Amino acid sequence: RLPVPKLEDTIRRYLNAQKPLLKDDQFRKTEELAHHFEKGIGKELHEQLVAQDNQNKHTSYITGPWFDMYLKAREPVVLNFNPFMSFNPDPKSEYNDQLLRATNMTVSALRFMKTFRAGYLEPEVFHLNPEKSDTEIFKKIIRFVPSSLSWFGAYMVNAYPLDMSQYFRLFNSTRLPKLNRDELYTDEKAKHLLVLRNGNFYVFDVIDRDGNMLKPSEIQAHLKYILSDNSPAPAFPLGYLSAENRDTWALLRKNLLDNGNEEALQKVDSAVFCLSLDDFPIKDFVHLSHTMLHGDGANRWYDKSFNLIITKDGTAGINFEHSWGDGVAVLRFQNEVFKDSTKAPALSPQSQPASVDSSRAVQKLDFKLNDALKAGITKAKQKFDASVEALSLNMIQFNEGGKDLLKQKKVSPDAVAQLAFQMAFLRQYNQTVATYESCSTAAFKHGRTETIRPASIHTKKCSEAFVRELSKHSTEELQKLIVECSKYHGRLTKEAAMGQGFDRHLFGLRYLALSKGIALPDFYQDQAYAQLNHNIISTSTLMSPAVELGGFGPVVSDGFGVGYQVHDDWIGCNVSSYPARNGKEYLQCIYKSLEDIFNVLKGKKISS
């Protein structure tokens, strides 16, 4: 179970995170409020939270508040919440044909779904000592241990089973807009796939009456039929509505239902997943990021648990709705789909589509729109276009080293990347700001994520040495500062992964106070608390053989969204920003910072 941290630990960790962001007098005030909270109302709330947690052993203390946080948010899901992860191309280039890849990936996704629902999917396990635990012998033994004890057997060999409670929402699921709080909806009985092309909506069954998958050649025939349909794009593409403010969208959805679209919407909501087929090839990585993060708005349904997007040249990616689950579940799905569709593809370039009557099997959905709905779609499109227009996406590849060299120098690769983000911001804007790094807590029942706070007194001291006081420090001193940052970051990461951060705990206590109608404690009304939760640098990393690139929008209008990957011998980084910040310049500063850090670690002298 996800532990509720001790209140004194949380307050100490919170103050450690505040220290680099505040001037001395501000920090003293925040410290006073924090200790006052710890001895008074905070203590009472903490005791209530622990008692509540003990009464709800089937779940975790963060589950309810976290679902609420996402589902009560009224901002559009696109750009604000939905991230993307793009697939690597198929190593066999002739398999990157749009129709072939769409068919093979759809078949692999359905194989994954059927394996999961039959209870045959291998559990997700984090192996700290893979030589011992990631072996056939261990799997054979553990298979015969009853599940109430098997996790303990895994612990004994340092293998940590991860929570898989989110996985069922991957399929037949959607987020429904409702006033004030959205709802998650799943209908596992539905057997059809939703396909979007040119803003038009199509459905066809991919599972038959007996629960068997349609033949791959038939799926191919139906997708070919959709790709060759030359119906014009709709004058009022419905997809834009899923990019609207949630309350606006909830009212428009009610209008849609009242206007005779109940059956068509039911088909959209209950579909196994949404396959979006785009009619253009990808030009470069920036174009790829724009396509997968938001696309044109007409050819996506952002509320579906995920959209599998495949462009004209067979480039594939996933855009997923974030309230139902986190990157861990989606990444497992992507890894399996990539592996299966490349190693055991259902069809080859020589395969012929089945000779079936697709015009009978494929249904094109028709939506009845009144003037209010047409006006709503027009307005949604204007707002979507304006948001996308304001968004910048930029990226760099740093080729002067990566994980191998850093491990050789005994520093954490993640710590070095995060240090570079701090150093770069100091160089560009001359300050240290609230920074967020996401860390999975899936090692616990119904765990979600915890925050690592990468901006510390250590990164601040080190960044200032590199940016402002280079002449005062020898290379050895700079190396020491990097090592110190690495150690501290390693500790924060370990704490967060073990459910010992402070962000979720404080969030849970605040949620409890509000739900009990208690006046919001002064601690939460502190300007410094708001500032710490206004995450100007929001970061997330993932490594996978299936994924080429991942990214997301800034979480605040004056922020950066930083997606990064530390490979064996290079580092990739992509940054999203709005006009309040210059992402291109920030990336140049990141590059310079990485260069400086690597040179210092190699024992070279650097210049400012």
Side-chain angles (χ1 to χ4, degrees):
R1 299 198 63 229
L2 182 71
V4 178
K6 290 182 181 147
L7 186 59
E8 60 267 33
D9 288 344
T10 287
I11 296 298
R12 174 177 51 80
R13 290 170 182 143
Y14 168 75
L15 290 172
N16 284 342
Q18 284 286 18
K19 194 139 206 176
L21 308 180
L22 301 173
K23 293 195 176 87
D24 288 350
D25 53 336
Q26 287 174 310
F27 181 74
R28 273 195 298 276
K29 185 191 158 208
T30 292
E31 195 174 30
E32 201 177 304
L33 285 167
H35 290 313
H36 186 68
F37 176 74
E38 184 187 345
K39 292 184 184 77
I41 183 73
K43 188 166 179 261
E44 287 168 43
L45 288 168
H46 175 74
E47 281 161 10
Q48 285 176 29
L49 185 72
V50 170
Q52 200 179 56
D53 184 55
N54 286 333
Q55 283 165 353
N56 292 281
K57 298 212 161 151
H58 62 286
T59 187
S60 74
Y61 77 90
I62 199 62
T63 301
W66 210 240
F67 272 123
D68 259 13
M69 182 271 299
Y70 274 124
L71 295 171
K72 284 181 171 171
R74 301 292 83 193
E75 301 88 359
V77 292
V78 63
L79 296 187
N80 295 305
F81 295 103
N82 289 25
F84 82 87
M85 297 192 273
S86 72
F87 285 98
N88 273 314
D90 192 306
K92 301 183 290 292
S93 60
E94 67 275 22
Y95 279 78
N96 289 311
D97 166 81
Q98 184 178 29
L99 174 60
L100 186 59
R101 201 167 195 206
T103 308
N104 280 332
M105 285 194 148
T106 298
V107 170
S108 293
L110 294 169
R111 283 175 180 163
F112 179 93
M113 177 182 86
K114 286 179 64 61
T115 308
F116 172 67
R117 287 187 178 162
Y120 290 132
L121 191 66
E122 194 174 304
E124 188 72 10
V125 178
F126 180 63
H127 298 276
L128 265 180
N129 189 352
E131 292 77 35
K132 261 187 178 170
S133 55
D134 202 2
T135 61
E136 286 312 311
I137 291 177
F138 176 73
K139 286 175 191 174
K140 277 201 178 93
I141 295 169
I142 208 80
R143 193 170 282 142
F144 296 105
V145 181
S147 60
S148 57
L149 294 173
S150 58
W151 63 274
F152 188 71
Y155 274 21
M156 298 308 285
V157 289
N158 248 340
Y160 296 87
L162 302 184
D163 178 73
M164 295 174 77
S165 63
Q166 299 171 1
Y167 283 49
F168 82 99
R169 292 255 191 228
L170 271 164
F171 305 105
N172 300 98
S173 297
T174 199
R175 173 173 173 160
L176 298 175
K178 302 273 174 175
L179 287 174
N180 304 320
R181 185 188 189 272
D182 291 355
E183 278 169 24
L184 291 173
Y185 169 82
T186 302
D187 174 9
E188 292 187 359
K189 289 190 290 292
K191 297 172 167 36
H192 61 280
L193 179 70
L194 170 66
V195 184
L196 265 50
R197 177 171 169 257
N198 205 13
N200 289 306
F201 288 60
Y202 306 84
V203 293
F204 64 86
D205 282 357
V206 284
I207 303 285
D208 68 16
R209 260 182 302 218
D210 303 323
N212 298 316
M213 197 165 70
L214 214 60
K215 284 198 196 93
S217 60
E218 291 184 29
I219 293 175
Q220 184 184 25
H222 298 338
L223 291 177
K224 187 177 180 181
Y225 172 80
I226 290 169
L227 281 167
S228 52
D229 179 20
N230 47 24
S231 307
F236 298 95
L238 207 73
Y240 286 112
L241 294 180
S242 68
E244 244 306 359
N245 165 284
R246 303 308 293 176
D247 283 339
T248 309
W249 172 204
L251 295 168
L252 286 164
R253 182 185 159 88
K254 192 180 176 321
N255 190 337
L256 269 170
L257 291 169
D258 295 345
N259 210 42
N261 296 294
E262 195 167 348
E263 205 179 312
L265 277 175
Q266 174 60 26
K267 289 268 194 230
V268 171
D269 296 336
S270 63
V272 176
F273 62 88
C274 176
L275 173 66
S276 297
L277 301 171
D278 283 348
D279 279 345
F280 53 82
I282 294 295
K283 298 199 263 289
D284 53 34
F285 281 137
V286 171
H287 183 221
L288 172 71
S289 297
H290 279 290
T291 302
M292 300 303 169
L293 183 60
H294 55 76
D296 70 348
N299 214 41
R300 303 282 182 272
W301 194 253
Y302 301 110
D303 287 356
K304 279 304 272 181
S305 54
F306 69 89
N307 286 243
L308 171 59
I309 302 155
I310 302 182
T311 63
K312 194 77 177 165
D313 57 2
T315 303
I318 278 184
N319 176 295
F320 70 96
E321 198 281 310
H322 216 326
S323 65
W324 66 270
D326 304 304
V328 191
V330 182
L331 193 59
R332 170 72 187 270
F333 170 68
Q334 270 193 269
N335 287 342
E336 299 286 3
V337 166
F338 183 75
K339 193 165 111 186
D340 190 65
S341 64
T342 55
K343 298 253 174 30
L347 298 175
S348 75
Q350 286 70 46
S351 307
Q352 289 301 311
S355 46
V356 286
D357 185 0
S358 294
S359 65
R360 286 184 60 184
V362 177
Q363 181 196 354
K364 185 171 169 220
L365 298 182
D366 193 31
F367 296 95
K368 302 175 189 69
L369 304 177
N370 57 27
D371 289 345
L373 286 165
K374 286 177 182 174
I377 291 171
T378 304
K379 195 161 181 205
K381 179 180 177 353
Q382 287 165 350
K383 283 157 85 172
F384 173 84
D385 289 345
S387 300
V388 165
E389 184 61 34
L391 178 82
S392 296
L393 293 174
N394 296 281
M395 60 198 54
I396 52 157
Q397 254 188 5
F398 176 81
N399 293 317
E400 293 172 45
K403 205 179 284 178
D404 289 349
L405 185 110
L406 296 171
K407 286 191 164 168
Q408 194 191 316
K409 300 288 179 193
K410 297 193 169 40
V411 290
S412 144
D414 191 59
V416 165
Q418 289 290 346
L419 174 60
F421 305 153
Q422 293 301 314
M423 218 176 264
F425 200 90
L426 187 75
R427 190 177 289 280
Q428 189 181 3
Y429 294 105
N430 210 17
Q431 61 183 138
T432 298
V433 290
T435 307
Y436 182 108
E437 179 182 357
S438 163
C439 176
S440 170
T441 49
F444 300 97
K445 190 183 185 81
H446 294 189
R448 295 281 317 230
T449 56
E450 181 52 270
T451 309
I452 299 167
R453 291 290 182 176
S456 66
I457 51 172
H458 304 284
T459 59
K460 189 176 187 175
K461 188 177 165 188
C462 185
S463 299
E464 284 175 349
F466 272 77
V467 175
R468 294 181 184 159
E469 307 157 353
L470 202 50
S471 56
K472 292 184 193 164
H473 297 275
S474 68
T475 306
E476 287 73 27
E477 285 168 351
L478 294 174
Q479 283 173 345
K480 269 204 189 89
L481 290 172
I482 297 170
V483 169
E484 225 158 274
C485 291
S486 173
K487 277 188 188 145
Y488 188 71
H489 187 77
R491 199 177 96 202
L492 291 183
T493 305
K494 205 168 272 168
E495 286 175 351
M498 295 313 287
Q500 294 291 336
F502 66 84
D503 280 83
R504 299 297 173 270
H505 187 195
L506 290 179
F507 182 84
L509 295 174
R510 181 176 184 271
Y511 180 90
L512 186 65
L514 292 173
S515 69
K516 295 252 157 116
I518 299 168
L520 194 63
D522 292 346
F523 171 79
Y524 291 108
Q525 298 190 48
D526 181 8
Q527 188 54 48
Y529 179 84
Q531 186 185 297
L532 182 69
N533 287 287
H534 182 88
N535 292 299
I536 289 175
I537 306 174
S538 183
T539 73
S540 187
T541 185
L542 57 96
M543 281 305 291
S544 150
V547 175
E548 182 158 50
L549 189 76
F552 49 94
V555 296
V556 291
S557 62
D558 60 340
F560 289 125
V562 184
Y564 64 104
Q565 294 174 306
V566 185
H567 298 266
D568 290 343
D569 54 0
W570 64 282
I571 297 172
C573 186
N574 61 323
V575 166
S576 60
S577 57
Y578 292 119
R581 298 276 177 202
N582 184 336
K584 208 171 187 148
E585 192 181 296
Y586 183 50
L587 274 170
Q588 287 164 352
C589 293
I590 290 173
Y591 195 95
K592 162 86 174 130
S593 302
L594 285 169
E595 210 168 35
D596 286 353
I597 294 166
F598 272 80
N599 280 331
V600 163
L601 289 171
K602 289 173 189 167
K604 293 182 184 168
K605 198 153 174 53
I606 56 168
S607 54
S608 53

